Amino acid sequence: MGGAAMTEELRVDVRSLHAALDRARESRGLSWRQLAKEVGVSASTMSRMANNLKPDVTSFAAMTTWLRMPAEDFYVGGPAQPESEEPDLVATLAPLLRARKDLTDKDVEYLEEVIGAAARRFQAESASRGE
């Protein structure tokens, strides 16, 4: 049938996604209910995540889109990069950038792009040296 790709299910790092949402929520002064409305998911989806329950695919996509972060940043297992690479760097820095009052949304978007591009370059150089 489909081969090994079908058996390796990508799992969502719910704790990491919830933490990124929490930091963005706090930086904007929103309640969880307000955040859910802004993201476009139900408040109960947010509460389930607080209990480490995975959101459905549509909610997951809405959250990563709202955070303006690649979905891959929140994958565990499968073909994702090692933890010390790009996803953690961008996932860690993005909420800190968003919390700054002196940066506009466009500034944050630009910085996330630059940081992500630099991290991908470092990863590619590292892979070409010692794979």
Side-chain angles (χ1 to χ4, degrees), residues 14-26 29-50 63 66:
V14 177
R15 288 189 211 291
S16 175
L17 177 58
H18 188 268
L21 287 165
D22 193 28
R23 288 188 296 269
R25 177 189 69 78
E26 284 180 354
L30 299 172
S31 71
W32 279 107
R33 191 170 291 284
Q34 291 168 320
L35 175 68
K37 186 175 183 178
E38 197 171 300
V39 171
V41 301
S42 70
S44 62
T45 295
M46 293 293 188
S47 344
R48 283 194 303 271
M49 284 182 58
M63 291 171 196
W66 183 84

Side-chain angles (χ1 to χ4, degrees), residues 25-26 44 52 56 71-73 79 85 110 122 130:
R25 177 189 69 78
E26 284 180 354
S44 62
N52 205 30
D56 64 47
E72 297 80 32
D73 287 3
E85 299 298 336
Y110 175 75
F122 300 150

Side-chain angles (χ1 to χ4, degrees), residues 1 11 32 54 58 76-77 82 86 95 99 112 114 117 121-123 125-126:
M1 236 185 172
R11 290 169 312 179
W32 279 107
K54 186 171 70 170
T58 307
V76 175
E86 176 205 350
E112 288 174 354
V114 170
R121 179 176 170 203
F122 300 150
Q123 186 180 357
E125 287 173 359
S126 156

Side-chain angles (χ1 to χ4, degrees), residues 64-109:
T64 57
T65 300
W66 183 84
L67 285 166
R68 285 185 307 213
M69 296 173 72
E72 297 80 32
D73 287 3
F74 301 104
Y75 289 160
V76 175
Q81 296 93 351
E83 282 183 23
S84 63
E85 299 298 336
E86 176 205 350
D88 279 347
L89 179 62
V90 176
T92 302
L93 293 177
L96 299 173
L97 293 172
R98 287 174 186 280
R100 294 188 57 104
K101 303 290 184 233
D102 59 339
L103 296 175
T104 66
D105 283 350
K106 212 161 195 48
D107 295 336
V108 171
E109 204 172 298

